[in-house]
Each structure stands twice: as C-alpha cells, then as structure tokens.
Amino acid sequence: MPLTLEQLNAATPQEATTLLDGVYEHSPWIAQRALDARPFRSLAHLKHALVRAVATATVDEQLGLIRAHPELAGKAMVAKSLTAESTNEQNKAGLTNCTPEEFARIQQLNADYNARFGFPFILAVRGPRGTGLTKAEIIATFERRVHHHPDFERAEALRNIHRIAEIRLNDKFGASNTLGEMVWDWQEALAVHSDPGYAQQGQLTVTYLTDAHRAAARQIAQTMQEVGFDSVHIDAVGNVVGRYEGLTPDAKTLLTGSHYDTVRNGGKYDGRLGIYVPMACVKALKDQGRRLPFAFEVVGFAEEEGQRYKATFLGSGALIGDFNPAWLDQQDADGITMRAAMAHAGLKPEDIPKIRRDPSKYLGFVEVHIEQGPVLNELDLPLGIVTSINGSVRFVGEVIGMASHAGTTPMDRRRDAACAVAELILFAEQRAARDPDSVATVGMLQVPSGSINVVPGHCKFSLDIRAPQDAQRDAVVADVLAALKDICERRGVRYTLEETMRAAAAPSAPAWQQRWERAVESLGLPIFRMPSGAGHDAMKLHEVMPQAMLFVRGLNSGISHNPLESSTSDDMQLAVQALQHLLDNLALEPQP
Ligand SMILES: [Zn+2]
C-alpha cells in the first residue's frame, strides 16, 4: 500500500520519521525537521519542506548527508552492502553491469572526485524522467562535474540528493506524473527533427522552414489532433494553431503558446515546453469531457530565435500584425530568400495580414517557459512567477586612445584604450548590482591588432543593459554612459558609441500574474517572483493584450541554448497542474 499524506500528517513525529525512512540516505534528521511544516498540503509541499530542512542545516550537516551516500559503482556496490534504495537505482542505471573498462573509468573518476572535493560523487542516476540515465550519460556528467568549483559542486551534490529523494518519495507515495511524463516524452520525440549537419552530430537545430522545422510543425499538429483539439492548422507563417472551444461559440479566448524553432545546437525544452504543457491540459479536459466557459488557443510559434533570417519573434509578431514585408527578401546563408522558403513550404505571404488577431476577442496571453537561468535551480524551487520581461538596450562602442611602446611609455603618460574600457566594465558591474534585477554585461571586448608590447590604442566593446522597468533600465544606462564620458575625459581618450537595439520592458499584467501566483500556491509551493532576463514571445503579445509568464526550473544551473538544457518530468507535471489551476480558477471568474 502506498503511503498517503493523510497518514503522514496524522502520525506521531516518531512514526512520521519512520514513514519517511530511506528517502534521505542515513539522515533521519531531515525528515524530523521537515515535519514542523505539517500538515503537508501536497507531495510538492512535503518535498519542499525536506529541501528547506537541508538548506537551513549547517555546512557540516550538509556534508554529513553527502558523505552518507555510497560511491557510484563503488566498493559498497561490489560488496552488495548498499541500501535497498541505492541498489535499485544503481541497478536501473546499469551500473551493476559495467564493462571492465567502464568500471575502471568510474573508479578513476571516483578517486579523482573524492580527492578534489572530499565527498563522493552523487548523481540522481534515474535522471530527469525517472527512467534512468545511460552509462555514457553518467560518465559524461561525472567528467564534467569533477572540474566544478568546490562550493558549486557541494550545492550540485545536494540538488542531486533532493532529486534522488523526490523519486524515492514518488515511489513511496505511488505518485504518478502521467501528464508531466507525457510532456517530457513529447519533447523527446520532437527532438528527432534537426537540420542537416546538426542531426548527424546528434545536435538539435531547428531553424525557420527547414525540412526539420516543417516536420516538427506537422508532428505538433498531429499530437494536437490526437489529444482532442477541435481544430488544428498551420498558418501563413508556419505557426501551429490548435483551438479547444469554450462552452459557447461567442466565448472569448485565452491564448497561450511558445516557439518550436531552436538556436543552433540548442536544448529540447526552450519554447517547446510552453506548447506541450497546455496541450497536456487540453488532453486532460478532453478525457474528462469538460469544456471551459472560454476557448483555449495554443500556438506553436514558428520562429522566435532569429537564426536563419534576421527576423526574431516572427511567429508571435505576425499575430499582432507586426510582420515586416521587407523580411521576405532577406536571404539565408545559402542565398535562399524567405519568400522562396515560404513558397517551398506552401505558405502564402499574402495571407500573413489575415492571421492578425483581434485583441477584443481575447482574454489575455499566458506562456510557460523553461527559466533559462540558474535562479530556480539554486533555490530548489520548481516554479517561478515572472513579474516582467526585462527591457533591454544594446550598444557597440570603441575607445580611441594612443598606441605607444609598452616599455618606454611611463604609466602617467599613457592613453590606454583598454584600461578605459576595463574601468567602464567594472563600473557597469557595480552600478547594475546596486539595483534589484538590473543586469549589465560587456560580452564582446577586443583590442584590434593588439600586440603584447604595445599600449592599446583602440578597444572595441559591446554593452547590454536590462532591467524589469524601462525607467530603471534607462537610469542604469544614463549612469553608465556618464561614467564612460568621465573615464574618457580623465584618461584623455575619446569614444564612439552606437545604440544597436532597444526593447521595451513587458511587465506582467497584475491580474494575470496573480492568477499564476494562486495556481502555484494551490500546489503547496511558495510563490517566488522573478523578472525574465531573456526575451520571449509574450513580449510581442504584450503589445496588444495582458500577459504573464510562468517559469519552470532548468537543471545544470539552468543552462539553455545548449544540449545540457534539462528539466524533470516532475517539474513539468507541476507546470501542467499550475496551468490547470489557472484554467479552473479562470472558469470560476465572471466571464466578460
Ligand atoms: Zn525560448
């Protein structure tokens, strides 16, 4: 019989600790402390309470927890002295069945890792889907993590321990994540389509209107049909549009979706998660034979990343009437115009104006997206509520000083262009850090034809500044530009600066942000609010209707635009449940 939350909530502290035995390896103190948070409202709430117990423990207690774990395929496994839980996990990962070479490699890594960090390598070998990582994935992760900084690796070990505990709790409680697993599997299946050259290397690249892109669109459309959308079509720019109608034909529509194109060698979840999570909700509604008092429209946007052509947010832009016809004459790297690519795909550019939506028929836009950053992962939180998509400004500039001999020019007689930019970079770092949620980055830095024995006469740089509100961003920009002027005057150098991009912030509509907050709270999770540092399709819809986004934790420090991008089926399940709550609560509100 699986354990229930009612049993756990009703048990004495001692009984409850026993009921949670084996979730955290040889560490009953974690369960004991977490019990203070009873009654647990959900399994997610219990998991979070356990995570908090570890997060608030001392470093020595945390290290004790890490050291209570066996080595991977280590002596304890060979001697068959592992706990039942660990034996099951190492078995499932095939670690009990290594070739002699694999076994030797893992032993070497175990030794290197332990020597570097003083604790065993911990990996949730059942992986993000719970079905087990391959031995190759395990060894690759091991090889990557042995190079981490010790502080980071201790936290990463704890995160893996929490993931191990999460899977053990699912087993103990007989919890099923059917919808989250479906979403995970859909994304895995969609990732088989990749552009030529990348597909052969096992990399995921899906750029606008390539064969892989069109195959991906067909696959999304087919899945929409299978789960029970009332209508599915691919529109004039290649967006996949599915509608699940409301109770009445005149009902307004809630719009959601995200993009299915990817960057080069990108991740499987960026964009796609925001298409499949709502599709899982429609499947559940259809299976229950339920209709909402509003229609639900899910759009897989054809293009967001601007990889093949210099046209970002093409898919969502077209929905708000923001498609620039001049884009049609742009050529890709092979000289194929967008017009030709569209004709090849059977799309009619003359129909693009027709897909513009009438905002008066829409309630608003919501978007689920993988965070693409480290914050939720570091805080051990599955979901975050977006307060605003940051406004951004970008510049490219150059400081012009005077090149001179590195040996003969005394320090007080230099006009060093690179030193001026270095001072600017540090100022920008400190200025942005003074604000909550402002960021400033110099990502490109170059001394053109520099030489080891020459004081730099020129230094080129980029500058990217973002903040949740335009006024906040502009204040940072003003201070950084004033600093550049001062630095250059003081150092006797001059500069050029060109603004190359400016995008307005898209603050979440308060009512929609609150709907996400209520949904997350109803799952038993804390409300965590954060800005989006990256741009998203919601920025486009923001121009014509209220919008708010939900972020889902990414693993591996939230890395994105990278094959290491990852998220668990448990977190995807929570995202589906959050959206279901939002839909259900919206259904109870008076309909406009
Ligand atoms: Zn994205």
Side-chain angles (χ1 to χ4, degrees), residues 57-93:
T58 65
V59 171
D60 281 344
E61 286 172 322
Q62 293 176 346
L63 285 170
L65 168 64
I66 297 171
R67 293 191 182 116
H69 285 72
E71 285 189 326
L72 267 191
K75 291 184 208 77
M77 186 190 85
V78 175
K80 300 199 177 352
S81 64
L82 295 174
T83 60
E85 289 84 1
S86 286
T87 304
N88 175 31
E89 287 149 11
Q90 300 214 9
N91 252 327
K92 274 203 171 159

Side-chain angles (χ1 to χ4, degrees), residues 259 270-271 304-305 369 372 536:
H259 59 99
D270 174 8
E304 189 255 20
E305 303 280 10
H369 205 285
Q372 302 186 281
H536 294 292

Side-chain angles (χ1 to χ4, degrees), residues 13 55 179 193 220 222 294-295 331 433 466 517 534:
L179 293 172
H193 307 293
I220 295 166
Q222 192 189 335
F294 48 89
Q331 294 181 5
R466 311 182 193 205
E517 290 174 2

Side-chain angles (χ1 to χ4, degrees), residues 162-469:
H162 293 315
R163 175 62 184 154
I164 292 167
E166 173 162 67
I167 295 172
R168 290 176 179 179
L169 282 167
N170 291 346
D171 291 348
K172 214 180 239 303
F173 283 80
S176 64
N177 286 325
T178 319
L179 293 172
E181 286 165 0
M182 188 185 296
V183 168
W184 202 96
D185 294 344
W186 278 336
Q187 288 164 111
E188 193 69 14
L190 193 66
V192 303
H193 307 293
S194 186
D195 288 351
Y198 299 92
Q200 291 79 349
Q201 298 176 62
Q203 297 180 352
L204 178 63
T205 300
V206 178
T207 59
Y208 189 50
L209 296 183
T210 60
D211 288 349
H213 184 271
R214 288 156 54 221
R218 283 193 298 272
Q219 188 159 320
I220 295 166
Q222 192 189 335
T223 308
M224 282 181 172
Q225 266 149 3
E226 285 164 6
V227 300
F229 279 78
D230 295 308
S231 62
V232 180
H233 74 280
I234 294 176
D235 74 13
V237 294
N239 295 328
V240 185
V241 183
R243 280 183 64 89
Y244 190 69
E245 300 301 338
L247 282 168
T248 54
D250 60 337
K252 286 201 180 190
T253 300
L254 174 63
L255 187 63
T256 188
S258 194
H259 59 99
Y260 64 89
D261 69 321
T262 74
V263 296
R264 296 194 170 83
N265 196 18
K268 296 171 186 171
Y269 310 104
D270 174 8
R272 290 141 178 234
L273 185 66
I275 305 170
Y276 284 125
V277 164
M279 282 167 63
C281 292
V282 168
K283 176 169 171 44
L285 287 168
K286 181 75 180 178
D287 289 351
Q288 296 156 15
R290 274 184 66 202
R291 293 276 165 188
L292 300 165
F294 48 89
F296 192 39
E297 184 173 322
V298 183
V299 183
F301 294 114
E303 203 287 335
E304 189 255 20
E305 303 280 10
Q307 297 280 307
R308 184 173 176 187
Y309 298 100
K310 281 187 186 144
T312 51
F313 302 104
L314 184 153
S316 47
L319 259 59
I320 65 162
D322 187 11
F323 181 90
N324 181 355
W327 287 340
L328 293 168
D329 297 314
Q330 276 191 21
Q331 294 181 5
D332 71 2
D334 297 322
I336 300 168
T337 63
M338 188 187 289
R339 190 187 306 279
M342 290 180 103
H344 178 68
L347 303 180
K348 297 197 180 82
E350 62 271 25
D351 289 343
I352 294 172
K354 295 181 203 159
I355 67 172
R356 179 181 191 154
R357 299 297 193 271
D358 173 359
S360 72
K361 296 193 168 126
Y362 285 84
L363 294 167
F365 179 77
V366 290
E367 181 175 356
V368 177
H369 205 285
I370 191 163
E371 181 203 335
Q372 302 186 281
V375 178
L376 294 173
N377 191 231
E378 269 180 24
L379 294 173
D380 284 306
L381 288 172
L383 302 174
I385 292 135
V386 177
T387 53
S388 178
I389 302 169
N390 283 355
S392 56
V393 186
R394 288 183 186 163
F395 301 91
V396 290
E398 180 171 12
V399 170
I400 303 113
M402 193 184 291
S404 58
H405 195 290
T408 62
T409 318
M411 295 312 287
D412 59 355
R413 287 181 167 77
R414 295 181 176 210
R415 292 168 193 269
D416 186 325
C419 283
V421 178
E423 216 181 305
L424 177 75
I425 295 172
L426 292 176
F427 177 85
E429 182 191 38
Q430 287 154 13
R431 173 62 186 84
R434 281 213 302 273
D435 275 4
D437 299 323
S438 289
V439 287
T441 309
V442 174
M444 289 166 15
L445 187 60
Q446 194 199 1
V447 176
S449 50
S451 178
I452 195 165
N453 58 356
V454 176
V455 174
H458 289 256
C459 184
K460 292 184 170 180
F461 62 96
S462 64
L463 182 61
D464 175 307
I465 294 175
R466 311 182 193 205
Q469 308 286 338

